[in-house]
Amino acid sequence: MERRSCCGVKMAAVALTASPCGMWSHTMTVQDYQDLIDRGWRRSGKYVYKPILKKTCCPQYTIRCHALKFQPSKSHKKILKKMSKFISKGELPKGEEDGEPMDSGCGEAGPREPSKVCHPEVKCAPITDIQKEVAECPTITEGQKKTGDAAPKGSETSQKDPVSVPDGRTAAAAPKPGMGADPNRPQCRKAKDLRKERRLQKEQMRQHTDGVSSIVSPAHPTATHTNQPKPLEEFINESLPENSSHCLEVRLVRSNPPSPQFKASFDASYQVYKLYQMAIHKDPPDKPSESQFRRFLCDSPLEAEHSPDGPEVGYGSFHQQYWLDGRIVAVGVIDILPTCVSSVYLYYHPDFASLSLGSYSALREIAFTRQLQKQSPKLSYYYLGFYIHSCPKMRYKGQYRPSDLLCPETYVWVPIERCVPHLENSRYARFNQDPDAGDARVLKDVGRALVLYRRTVMPYAAYSRKRKGSSDESEVQQYAGLVGQDCAERILLYRS
């Protein structure tokens, strides 16, 4: 489809290509973009694109995290503790750099040739095979694996008699029976339960010493608030101690339209981006230009909007700037949409690479999403961009649980635990296993799709009557299937 200038119409110019599909969007409402990313689209600057998953070598599936239900993993807590140690003591960790990927392996933000498409919205995080770590499941020790079954009833083994051994010797007295597969062995217990019991015992001793009676039994701890997992916000606050060697501040500035704070910090932000591109992506000094930076990380088609039931900062595109002792060390590019915070890109000063700033910023953005949800109840998801299972180094996004992947055929969200087995068998997979399920939001009447023809907005039905020549209905039908019913009736399809 031919791309033409917008002619003042506040919509998007759509161009369908083999792979991916893309459009240069001059301006777009946040609801339009929310509907598009819920059908597998993403933006890079004002360029909005959708990979054709069946044709690409590395299918990219939209992933979202349930921010309200998120609990940091052990690796996440380690990163927060590392930041706390740095801020409090002032020492950068050495030899701990993750080599975190900041995008899909490409060294430049923005649209690519169809065969080389890489996407800059990817967040960095420690690289872990998600098959080896399932969130919200306790760690299983070898002892626990061997004692999972209850002791069989009617066992004839006497706990008072010594146990016979093949060489005629007798073993020591048997321990107290447990509930494992071997009733002669004590029941295995989780290390965290043992640590909790020891803490309770110490607390009992202290209270008795102080003359205060204790009603807590160490053997059977009561279900109190101490059993509740510590929320993410507490871990983040612990990573920002007072009276420390460094001061870290996170500032949210609107990038489109640019706020005064954004304009004042533009040069400093660009210099960090330039250093990042040179160090991480090995760009020559003249390649990370200011125009490139502005085009793909500052410009945005999203209109700034405010709603009575929305967040106080409003909707649209923002930069989250991480200021350390008065200077910018990292910037997270994000979009605030009606139901989510969408991560676009993250870049940082190379001197602080060992702090795992990609993972740290993702945790901060999840906490930020939870903060916004208190102001706008429907804003409860954190979108991490694309999940690429066929690339082991790009599976780290699966660590942010609970999370869902978007089915590429029915556009319904499916828990990632149910998706991974299918992706192990095939790079491309339909996650919705109901064979009768289809795309509920497909535009059934292609005549209702909006078209910009000769500077006039009209439905496709009117355009097809005016236009002479061969029919392009199949192409318009393809477009309507890609953007969905709502967007097909709002976003203009340019025709020459």
Side-chain angles (χ1 to χ4, degrees):
M1 295 187 182
E2 182 178 347
R3 287 173 287 183
R4 305 178 67 182
S5 62
C6 189
C7 306
V9 180
K10 298 179 68 176
M11 283 292 179
V14 179
L16 297 183
T17 57
S19 178
C21 295
M23 57 177 141
W24 286 102
S25 177
H26 298 265
T27 183
M28 181 180 293
T29 67
V30 290
Q31 186 59 58
D32 283 337
Y33 187 52
Q34 179 74 69
D35 291 339
L36 284 175
I37 65 173
D38 284 337
R39 295 185 70 86
W41 293 74
R42 297 291 295 174
R43 79 171 184 90
S44 175
K46 291 189 174 183
Y47 184 73
V48 189
Y49 57 90
K50 175 182 171 65
I52 306 301
L53 303 191
K54 286 186 176 180
K55 297 182 179 181
T56 181
C57 62
C58 299
Q60 303 154 351
Y61 301 91
T62 302
I63 182 172
R64 72 177 185 183
C65 171
H66 295 253
L68 302 184
K69 300 178 182 178
F70 173 80
Q71 286 295 329
S73 66
K74 290 183 178 180
S75 62
H76 296 148
K77 295 174 186 176
K78 181 179 179 181
I79 289 168
L80 293 172
K81 290 179 181 178
K82 181 165 59 174
M83 177 64 75
S84 177
K85 184 177 180 181
F86 166 69
I87 293 177
S88 60
K89 298 184 179 180
E91 297 179 2
L92 276 171
K94 297 181 180 179
E96 297 182 23
E97 185 172 347
D98 300 307
E100 299 170 316
M102 300 309 299
D103 51 32
S104 301
C106 58
E108 178 179 329
R112 297 295 193 283
E113 295 297 326
S115 61
K116 300 179 181 179
V117 175
C118 297
H119 305 289
E121 81 296 332
V122 178
K123 291 298 293 188
C124 56
I127 300 167
T128 302
D129 188 338
I130 61 175
Q131 289 179 289
K132 298 179 181 179
E133 180 180 340
V134 180
E136 298 187 339
C137 293
T139 303
I140 301 175
T141 64
E142 289 300 317
Q144 287 174 289
K145 292 179 181 178
K146 296 176 182 178
T147 59
D149 301 325
K153 296 181 180 180
S155 174
E156 298 179 356
T157 303
S158 172
Q159 302 301 325
K160 297 181 180 179
D161 298 332
V163 180
S164 298
V165 291
D167 59 2
R169 294 174 298 171
T170 58
K176 183 178 180 180
M179 296 300 292
D182 183 355
N184 297 317
R185 301 186 62 183
Q187 182 179 7
C188 293
R189 302 177 62 188
K190 296 179 181 179
K192 64 177 183 180
D193 290 338
L194 294 174
R195 291 195 296 268
K196 185 184 296 183
E197 182 174 317
R198 286 195 292 268
R199 286 197 298 269
L200 289 170
Q201 289 174 336
K202 290 180 180 179
E203 180 65 16
Q204 268 193 319
M205 294 177 62
R206 185 188 66 79
Q207 290 177 343
H208 280 300
T209 302
D210 295 341
V212 180
S213 61
S214 173
I215 59 174
V216 180
S217 171
H220 303 282
T222 57
T224 64
H225 67 279
T226 57
N227 291 332
Q228 298 297 322
K230 186 186 299 185
L232 172 63
E233 289 78 3
E234 288 191 26
F235 286 106
I236 291 178
N237 291 334
E238 288 179 0
S239 72
L240 302 172
E242 297 180 358
N243 302 322
S244 49
S245 299
H246 294 296
C247 176
L248 179 65
E249 179 186 1
V250 180
R251 302 177 188 174
L252 182 73
V253 296
R254 183 178 288 276
S255 56
N256 184 63
S259 66
Q261 296 84 355
F262 177 83
K263 293 178 180 179
S265 58
F266 178 86
D267 290 339
S269 184
Y270 165 61
Q271 291 303 321
V272 174
Y273 166 76
K274 187 172 183 178
L275 292 171
Y276 170 79
Q277 290 295 115
M278 293 167 57
I280 306 300
H281 295 303
K282 311 304 179 185
D283 283 356
D286 59 337
K287 186 176 181 180
S289 64
E290 181 177 317
S291 60
Q292 178 201 60
F293 170 69
R294 189 185 299 273
R295 184 180 183 185
F296 293 114
L297 296 180
C298 301
D299 291 348
S300 169
L302 302 186
E303 299 175 353
E305 299 180 26
H306 288 80
S307 172
D309 60 347
E312 293 179 4
V313 296
Y315 300 110
S317 298
F318 298 82
H319 281 194
Q320 271 197 329
Q321 301 173 338
Y322 292 78
W323 290 75
L324 180 69
D325 302 332
R327 65 168 177 150
I328 296 178
V329 296
V331 176
V333 183
I334 62 171
D335 294 327
I336 301 178
L337 304 176
T339 65
C340 74
V341 169
S342 175
S343 172
V344 181
Y345 198 65
L346 185 281
Y347 61 92
Y348 55 80
H349 196 294
D351 288 351
F352 302 94
S354 61
L355 287 174
S356 305
L357 290 174
S359 299
Y360 181 78
S361 66
L363 296 171
R364 292 294 298 253
E365 288 169 9
I366 291 176
F368 180 58
T369 304
R370 292 154 68 117
Q371 176 185 340
L372 296 181
Q373 193 275 338
K374 295 178 181 179
Q375 305 168 12
S376 180
K378 62 182 180 179
L379 202 164
S380 59
Y381 296 102
Y382 175 59
Y383 283 49
L384 296 94
F386 289 129
Y387 173 80
I388 310 174
H389 189 79
S390 56
C391 179
K393 290 185 177 181
M394 298 305 297
R395 296 180 184 178
Y396 61 86
K397 294 182 182 181
Q399 292 182 353
Y400 298 89
R401 303 288 184 97
S403 58
D404 306 317
L405 297 185
L406 186 68
C407 177
E409 296 182 9
T410 62
Y411 301 106
V412 297
W413 295 99
V414 181
I416 193 171
E417 294 86 353
R418 288 164 47 189
C419 301
V420 169
H422 300 294
L423 295 175
E424 286 295 310
N425 296 326
S426 173
R427 290 179 179 234
Y428 174 82
R430 170 190 166 117
F431 302 137
N432 188 340
Q433 295 305 295
D434 181 359
D436 298 326
D439 179 6
R441 302 301 300 168
V442 68
L443 181 65
K444 297 179 176 62
D445 181 7
V446 69
R448 295 169 58 184
L450 286 183
V451 173
L452 179 64
Y453 178 61
R454 294 184 177 179
R455 304 194 180 196
T456 303
V457 179
M458 64 188 72
Y460 177 75
Y463 159 78
S464 61
R465 292 193 297 267
K466 290 177 175 289
R467 183 178 181 273
K468 297 179 180 180
S470 59
S471 173
D472 57 359
E473 182 174 342
S474 61
E475 190 176 3
V476 177
Q477 187 73 57
Q478 178 193 6
Y479 152 76
L482 289 169
V483 302
Q485 174 178 327
D486 295 332
C487 287
E489 296 177 357
R490 295 196 304 257
I491 297 179
L492 300 185
L493 177 63
Y494 283 18
R495 309 305 283 163
S496 58

